[in-house]
Amino acid sequence: MSFKLAIDGGTPVRSEPLPPLLRGALMIGAEEKEAVGRVIDGQAPFRYYGRDLQRYVELLEDRIAHDAGVPYALGVSSGTAALVVALKALGIGYGDKVIVPANTFTATAGAVIVANAVPVYADIDESMNLDPRDLERVYDDEVKAVIAVPINGTPCDMDAITAFARKRGIAVIEDVAQSLGTLYKGRFAGSIGDIGVYSFQMQKILTAGEGGAVVTKDAALFERAVRYHDQGGFRDKARYEIETNEQNGFVGQNYRMNELAGAVLYAQWERLDGIVTAMRQRHRSVRESLATRLPQLKLRQSPDPEGDTGSVFGLFLPDGGAAVRFAQAVEAEGVTCFRMYGGKPIYMTPYLLQKRTAEKGSFPFDYPFRQPVDYAAGMCPAAEQLLARYVHIPISPTLTERDTSDIAEAVVKVYEGLGFS
Ligand SMILES: *Cc1c(COP(=O)(O)O)cnc(C)c1O
């Protein structure tokens, strides 16, 4: 091995690129094609009726509910739609606040605002997820829910989050968009809070290009979710033992999943176990190899390492400058290495920081909250510090043994070469 870093003109650890950063998308194959073919042959791309309806969305919902261990699952058009549906099922809207972790994708905060509520940001800990110890600080009696977001396959500390929510009488939403297959103490992430949300966008674990799902144990929440996603209606009364009538209707949206997406996702769902098992195994192999060679490495923590999907290998550098140099140098060695969200908390996104919405005036931020909502740099100091220092290497389920040993090699070479050890 060459000790001169590739970034300084040395020979890179790898000359072949690692597999692209997609999971389910790269496994789309004969099964998806066949299922989609049936929908086309049946001329029935709409989920509720058609010439020869294949009921793929229904089959998918049954699989999701079964594997999540909940009675109800609803396919929707995207993860963002699923978040809005979850918020509206809970009756959250104008005049409400929702706790959002400082580290998440923009859609978590965006969905709260689109639902006419406003986000308040809680800090994170070394799991890179919401720090339950910060919930009390951001809570006031205008807060109606907290959104737990397991980032890139690491579960949230759900015992502490649900204990806090119960004490304060607020709801728990799980935004599991990035983390399908994550377990927390043996329970399927998404099934632990009041309502859980998945995404099937292209970057996620399974995909139909776009798509999402909502899961819950609560029949009343489920009925409201179905109604919000389907123009206020509830068509499938026969399928559920839910007593309902049109008095329960309200103005909804169209966030329905179509049968083509349902067909692809029904076939993709069969691949979930294999993908997660493969990522966990490859994550373990990188971790074990580094544990002996670089025991001082500061790794991302997890409240339940067994339940982690292993979709990324995350670590902390001594400071922000070191993280930038480390990521660039590892990339130069031929190993993909990222900082998350530009190394900044989500509230630093200019339109979120400045409360810019598509609405007139400053709606929904114009609500006369008793405790005003103000955003500023420095709000969540741990998130600012941790995100600056954090980098991760994506772990593909298709990595070979050679690939995982190259990843470990690149980390050791750069960590030592940049003088961090
Ligand atoms: C991707 C993502 C979403 C949004 O899902 P879409 O299907 O793209 O709408 C929401 N939350 C998180 C944490 C995500 O990563």
Side-chain angles (χ1 to χ4, degrees), residues 310-321:
S311 67
V312 300
F313 185 81
L315 59 132
F316 299 101
L317 282 302
D319 57 56

Side-chain angles (χ1 to χ4, degrees), residues 323-334:
V324 171
R325 277 179 296 151
F326 182 87
Q328 285 169 348
V330 170
E331 285 276 353
E333 300 296 337

Side-chain angles (χ1 to χ4, degrees), residues 78-80 83 104-105 107-108 149 175 177-178 199-201 204 210-211 341:
S78 74
T80 307
L83 278 168
T104 184
F105 180 59
T108 315
V149 188
D175 175 356
Q178 304 180 352
S199 164
F200 304 117
Q201 188 270 341
K204 317 295 174 161
E210 302 283 4
Y341 304 127

Side-chain angles (χ1 to χ4, degrees), residues 271-306:
R271 309 190 190 282
L272 179 60
D273 261 358
I275 291 173
V276 173
T277 304
M279 292 193 303
R280 284 193 178 126
Q281 188 269 328
R282 285 152 179 81
H283 190 279
R284 189 179 328 114
S285 124
V286 172
R287 199 170 61 237
E288 281 170 1
S289 152
L290 288 171
T292 46
R293 301 177 64 193
L294 272 186
Q296 70 275 43
L297 206 58
K298 193 113 185 40
L299 301 185
R300 178 186 183 183
Q301 302 296 299
S302 173
D304 182 4
E306 301 264 298

Side-chain angles (χ1 to χ4, degrees), residues 103-151:
N103 182 30
T104 184
F105 180 59
T106 187
T108 315
V112 169
I113 298 165
V114 165
N116 301 332
V118 303
V120 292
Y121 297 97
D123 218 331
I124 64 167
D125 59 25
E126 288 184 357
S127 70
M128 299 309 282
N129 295 338
L130 195 151
D131 182 351
R133 293 167 304 180
D134 199 43
L135 288 170
E136 199 61 60
R137 179 182 71 87
V138 297
Y139 174 81
D140 64 48
D141 60 4
E142 294 169 313
V143 168
K144 297 295 152 53
V146 52
I147 308 186
V149 188
I151 290 290

